[in-house]
Amino acid sequence: MATNAYVEHAPGYVDNVGPKVVTSRFGDPESYKLERSEATGGYGALRAVLQMKPDEVHGQVRDAVLLGRGGAGFPAGVKWGFMPPVWPRYLVVNGDESEPGTYKDRLLMERDPHQLIEGCLITCYALGLNTCFLYVRGEMALAQERIAEALNDAYEAGYVGRNIMGTDVSIDVVLTWGAGAYIVGEETALIESLEGNRGMPRLKPPFFPAAKGLYMKPTIVNNVETLANLPWIMLNGPEAYKQFGSEKSPGTRMLAISGHVKRPGVYEVEQGKVTFRDLFYGDNYCQGIRDDNDLKMFIPGGGSAPWFFEDQLDLPLEAADVGAAGSMLGSGAIVVMDETTDAVRACLRVVRFFARESCGKCTPCREGTTWEEKILQRILDGHGRPEDIDLLLDIGSQISPGPYPVAAFEAAGETAVPFPPKQTTICPLGPSSVAPITSAIRRFRDEFEAKIQAPEEVPA
Amino acid sequence: MTSTEAVTGVPFTLNGKELEADSGELLIDAAERHGVHIPRFCYHPRMKPVGMCRMCLVEVDTGRGPALQPSCMLPVTPEMKVETESEATKEAQDGVLEFLLANHPLDCPVCDKGGECPLQDNAYAFGPGETRFVEEKRHYEKPIPISDLVHLDRERCILCDRCTRFASEVAGDSLIHFIDRGSQTQVNTFPDHPFASYFSGNTVQICPVGALTSAPYRFKARPWDLDAVESTAAVDTTGARVVLQSSQDKLVRVVGVDSDAVNWSWLSDKDRFSYGANNSPDRITEPQIGTGSSRTSARWGDALKHAARSLRGDANRIAAIGGSRMSLESQYAWSKLLKGVLGTDNVDAQLGDGLPAALVLGIDRATIAEACEPGGVIVLVGPDPKEEVPTLFLRLRHAIVEDGASLIELTPRATSLSNLADVRLAATPGTAGQVMAALADGRLDEEVGTVGSPELAKAHELLTSGRPVTMVFGRANLAESARYVADAVGGLRRLVPEARFLPALRRGNVHGALEMGLAPGFLPGGIRNRRTNFGRWPSTPEFEGKDTDNILRGCLNGEFDTVVLLGADPLGDFPDQKLAAEALASVDNIISVDSFLTESSNLADVILPAAMWGEYDGTFCNMERRLSPMRAKVTAPGRCRPDWMIAAELSLSVGPDLGFATLEELQNELSSSAGSFTDINWDEVSSADDGPILSTDRNWDLEFGDPADLPSGPGYGFRLIVDRKMWDMGTTTQQSDGLGGLAQTAAIRLAPADVQLMELAGNEVVTIDQGEFQVEVPFVSDPAVIPRTAWLPARLPGFDARRLVAAGRSITQVRLHLPDRDVAAGGSAGEKGGNNG
Amino acid sequence: MSRLSPDNVLLAKEIIGRYPRPKSALIPLLHLAQEQAGYVSNDAMEHIAELTGVTPAEVLGTCSFYEMFKREQVGKYMVNICTNISCQLNGGEELLHHAEETLGIRPGGTTDDGMFTLEDVECIAACTEAPCLQVNYRYEYRIDNDGFDKLIDDLRNGNRYDIPHHGTLARIRQHLDPERAAGIESPEVTGKPQWFADREPAPESEKETA
Ligand SMILES: Cc1cc2nc3c(=O)[nH]c(=O)nc-3n(C[C@H](O)[C@H](O)[C@H](O)COP(=O)(O)O)c2cc1C
Ligand code: SF4
Ligand code: FES
């Protein structure tokens, strides 16, 4: 049925060939409605799960090796196992999608909210908890609407709330919206935000959410896409799931490929089976760089990821391989930049993002990222000084000390350091600003120098 | 984070040395204990660590290779290897400093903090030197006053979260907060809501830079000009430990000392800023003779002679009120003069707003630490601790919020701790004793007055759970007899015989005064009057004397010729203002030992100018009976003298020599005569970190009779509740720079239900009818108030509620009218209330 | 003015009831205030503080952390143009310049007629559809200068009924019927839900007694 074409009612989604775990209903314009969901097996997994022991459900998720889709790629089944036997405990759904280039959770929430709700219920059931908070990014009004409607319908139909499907199981799913803060996507900041506080991350350790999360009680935070996989897994079993993708990374991922490609879009792709080259140039995917230009660089996993270049095109889309090469697949956000791109300008744009979004808690992040932004802006404005380039690298190393992961500089005598880097901060946001700077300066130092060639007085 | 059961023996390596940490000890503290100071800004040992400034990063290897970790968040674990001097550590710390300095103004020369600024110190010790930051710095409007006492300079702020954490975590009033985000983050208040906290000065003390400064100290001195001495705050009975700082023989600042036993470094703003009264231009600095317009300055000799004249006659016609503000030594000297030389026992340090001396002296006393024991049960029968014993309030709050203590509150109106209470027994005036009796008898099924059965049951369960029980007791209501408090104490003793008691009395060194016999019926050392010889005293009183209430009544009846006011201002402090005024007006001779012309000392014939706190040496005795030094830091102005010296000289003018010429001689005499003081090692008092506790072996068989009956029904009126606020028209407050304006205008607080019944609205005023006179006061609807009661703090600008109090009655009732309506609302509301209830 | 309306107070109380602790409702209540007035006034923050039992400073602390909350009146339409990397690569910054010229305001500014406030925003999760923007958080994809001009005309002429005034996010709210709700547990409650305890594998030793 795959059309290998844009789907009009799901902006950005390309109905790609290949197995569909989470986007199977996207072809239907009414996929978000309860009737449509029910007609295509919606809540069937929940019905089956309610007949199982919670323990077995957890076991199956563990067997499926469902890797978290929020960025860190930690196996959900293992994370769930970290909860101490303490109640109450909570599930928090991370629908705060805001990493630059990332676009998938919103589609999942807008197009198939029931699939997500079912995933939440399966998780709650497996972990024996009765309250789930579904946190949707503030700027996503449609997703909020669709989930609200879906929840209202699901409550009425008896899928959520008291005595689910006539059983003694009772679980509430509460919808909450954010209000505009990227950092709230970080799980401990998300918890702070749910407590009504400023979304500032907590230090891990000691505050690992699984043990001390919401209200200092055990809390599982999972990404929307992670949970959206659960109905399929519970209906078809872990073995079937592991038929997709690679051994290390089973299943599929939703990838958003944006920037300078001919057919940017959101694709559901089997993990590890495709390379970046396939993705950028393949007919089923992006069909080449715009105007057939040369590739200059690409970001493999969101604004926080160190950049990749031509040399990494043949890496498979697989977290471990990408990590070993010195970057990350992160949130499935791939940004492609062609030869016409101004590396300094692109670098500034990503750095500015982190400077604006720093929560302000850690000195190095709060002060360092804004300093970086100011220097880069000055260079672009024609007031750069030769020493600014090394100063930028130095500031970077004060936020993220030690060798910074830079992809494939063997030629320069450097080996890629596996991601993630070291940090002087609480969370990885500050160090994320170092990714574009180090990537751009290492590779395109000449472009920086060119912008500085006629150093002017620093304006007072 | 005091850990009561510190287990030592966690081995770890610090810079190559094998050392041991306590279990659970944070690395930053363990290192400090072993002499390695790790720089820090956000960490404060009395608050929860947040790990946000990142200055304390050190390299730590827990077996998985060295990593930079904030030592303020990291408990030491066995075999941890820590490098505080390594290249990586140094680079990280340099980096953080460079970042902090990037946007920090370089105005150290004009900054109050210059010279004692951790940022400045760290910049010298760890910093990179030259700045590489050439961009424009962050700008804010220069210092903004965020309250009458505190100024905030946001450009200097390094966002360490200390002040804001203090406000929410320690003081429990989050009036300052982080606002905005990222590099725009600033500390500020809500618009037009000043930082009106009773504890605001602590934020100035813990600010690691000069972002928060106190209005009274701004630009007054530079740290290197300061002279300092440790002392004890004497404005309330907690006895917070402080450092007094002076410059050019003037007190300029008071800073909290981290006493583990008492105040954990915190101070109330009253502790901190009351030194301002020392510097007031209104101080009396010369002896005065005469009243009204004929009052003139005199020489000491003349004044003493004048005073001595009225002290000669019949000892029983002499009375003395006050003495709580003096040092223990001065209290002893005055006690000896009054009781031992003159022979009167009409001596009372409490001003009718305290508790029977026998009860206070004889009850099994708890320490603050015992009252705050983790997992304990605290019973509050007394004033709002935040208003009257604020540093104790902080400790109690911590015990409840952090250490799992439970609170049972038995007070006639909600307090600052009510929202943390496990059970609130809202007993209207006159009923606390009966409520406690019901608990002791196990009568839990029926309500007692306004207290319901479920609350009784819950309280009973907590009290009998076997957890340690401490009662904090004192006067919650000046318009209600002290009898009810004693009843409640008796009731609790019956229910929980091993319960301990911590008194929350008014007036700094009142416990010293009671211990020194400034109470009818007692001699120093808690010894009862009934003996003929005592130590080196010439004699002891023959008759048991009167307390303040009865002294004042006696004045009206012409029983007294002379009243000595020992720094006391009955007109300002005694609950029944009318009685106090009429009494003092009818006495022939009033001798006042004071530092200010108060309403009362203004009536005196002789005023002997006393040195104030900070101007004399001596000893303080706090609510735990803990002895700590009060020290002189500056010279007393003019011809002021320490109180004990005034007593000694006055004694000479009357006749015998008191027998001591120095403090040391006085202390030796005290040790040799007063029972519990024989063990006191005065060196220990002045040098120990926390000060020794006076050990008493009183084992008195305190008698508690049957509790007073419940007062009959609500009658036609409202039961009155009068108590004290921290800021009022009191002399110290009014004479201290910046504090006078903090007192809030008087208003009558009524339960929302009554407000509704009386159909009160908007900005109306209410007429309070006390029987003899009427007064109009604005009202406030306040859920803290129990229906059919009216709460009015005393001594506020606008109206002093003490005018309503009738000291003779066990509870005072008032009628309320609406001035612009004909109906006497008190009556009609009473009827409506009656129907409802 | 601009405390919460009586209807919204009822709604606020319902929302507070959904959370184990009242403070958790701060962000939803701030949204409610913004929906009512188009921005969050000081009065509204004080009102929210009363409803949730926190101080106004705490409400402000939370409110000011989140970009979407405006503490001053903004335009009826908030036009948020994304200039983050994917949009930048596809002309987002040029689109922003065009918008500045067309509306005659800089980012953060509001047109004199109070119709539009312009913002230069971070990634709004539509990167494949760059350049993109949101009007009151409703998306416009792959928009060029002409498309932008038409959008503004339509908004001015009242032709975009699909876009509510600033402050309104989702027009459908979750409704938690107390009859149907499982009931939110307070963090003080300990003990696992009965249904879970019943389904747990009994430990070997307890199998008999159970
Ligand atoms: C700065 C930062 C931003 C993040 N943003 C998101 C986000 O928007 N959505 C998300 O699901 N996870 C985000 N994460 C990851 C979360 O912290 C967390 O790991 C994730 O929600 C866990 O879900 P998963 O295990 O299902 O992947 C972010 C992490 C960091 C450090
Ligand atoms: S690294 Fe930045 S965003 Fe993360 S906690 Fe620190 S200041 Fe906040
Ligand atoms: S002192 Fe440890 S992070 Fe600030």
Side-chain angles (χ1 to χ4, degrees), chain A residues 5-7 10-16 20 23 26-27 107 254 266 268:
Chain A
Y6 278 110
V7 176
Y13 176 64
V14 181
D15 182 7
N16 168 40
K20 298 216 173 65
T23 62
F26 280 26
L107 273 175
M254 286 177 78
V266 181
E268 182 167 359

Side-chain angles (χ1 to χ4, degrees), chain B residues 174 178-181 190 193, chain C residues 55-56 58 61 64-65 67 71:
Chain B
S174 206
F178 277 157
I179 291 166
D180 298 331
R181 188 177 75 203
F190 191 80
H193 284 224
Chain C
T55 64
E58 286 174 296
S64 61
F65 186 86
E67 252 144 57
R71 280 175 285 147

Side-chain angles (χ1 to χ4, degrees), chain B residues 184-478:
Chain B
Q184 303 302 310
T185 310
Q186 52 166 306
V187 169
N188 213 331
T189 61
F190 191 80
D192 304 323
H193 284 224
F195 180 37
S197 164
Y198 285 172
F199 305 100
S200 69
N202 293 297
T203 62
V204 175
Q205 181 171 333
I206 62 181
C207 178
V209 292
L212 290 168
T213 45
S214 74
Y217 177 70
R218 275 169 70 82
F219 310 124
K220 287 276 154 60
R222 309 306 323 234
W224 49 87
D225 296 332
L226 291 178
D227 247 357
V229 70
E230 270 204 38
S231 185
T232 306
V235 293
D236 69 54
T237 52
T238 325
R241 301 300 298 273
V242 296
V243 168
L244 296 185
Q245 297 178 336
S246 67
S247 167
Q248 296 170 355
D249 206 23
K250 248 183 125 169
L251 290 181
V252 291
R253 187 163 68 169
V254 171
V255 179
V257 169
D258 194 340
S259 152
D260 216 35
V262 184
N263 56 309
W264 289 7
S265 82
W266 310 131
L267 297 181
S268 72
D269 283 355
K270 202 168 186 179
D271 285 332
R272 188 180 302 272
F273 296 117
S274 289
Y275 73 85
N278 289 58
N279 302 332
S280 162
D282 296 342
R283 290 252 334 238
I284 304 175
T285 54
E286 319 238 303
Q288 315 270 317
I289 296 178
T291 51
S293 53
S294 63
R295 171 172 298 134
T296 52
S297 295
R299 290 188 313 189
W300 266 107
D302 295 338
L304 288 168
K305 239 182 261 162
H306 198 97
R309 229 175 283 146
S310 30
L311 291 174
R312 282 198 184 103
D314 177 358
N316 287 321
R317 296 186 63 78
I318 300 173
I321 300 174
S324 299
R325 295 261 188 243
M326 302 174 176
S327 71
L328 194 86
E329 290 79 356
S330 292
Q331 289 161 342
Y332 177 78
W334 274 98
S335 186
K336 185 171 182 184
L337 170 63
L338 290 162
K339 296 197 166 180
V341 173
L342 301 177
T344 176
D345 193 45
N346 300 311
V347 175
D348 192 0
Q350 300 191 85
L351 294 180
D353 51 0
L355 292 170
L359 176 64
V360 179
L361 287 169
I363 198 100
D364 317 302
R365 198 77 69 94
T367 61
I368 294 172
E370 281 166 349
C372 298
E373 190 170 333
V377 177
I378 301 163
V379 185
L380 175 66
V381 180
D384 186 339
K386 192 172 177 176
E387 303 289 349
E388 304 212 7
V389 276
T391 19
L392 177 67
F393 164 80
L394 295 183
R395 293 287 309 268
L396 294 173
R397 191 179 175 280
H398 182 97
I400 299 164
V401 175
E402 305 291 341
D403 290 341
S406 300
L407 174 68
I408 300 172
E409 191 174 71
L410 176 54
T411 56
R413 59 138 179 118
T415 74
S416 311
L417 287 172
S418 297
N419 57 351
L420 300 173
D422 290 65
V423 196
R424 172 157 164 66
L425 304 171
T428 76
T431 64
Q434 282 292 348
V435 171
M436 197 52 90
L439 288 173
D441 298 342
R443 282 183 281 116
L444 311 173
D445 298 339
E446 49 197 270
E447 56 191 46
V448 182
T450 41
V451 176
S453 155
E455 286 75 32
L456 289 171
K458 180 104 192 273
H460 189 266
E461 190 192 318
L462 280 170
L463 290 171
T464 52
S465 61
R467 295 158 66 183
V469 174
T470 310
M471 182 189 268
V472 176
F473 69 110
R475 291 287 292 281
N477 180 9
L478 304 180

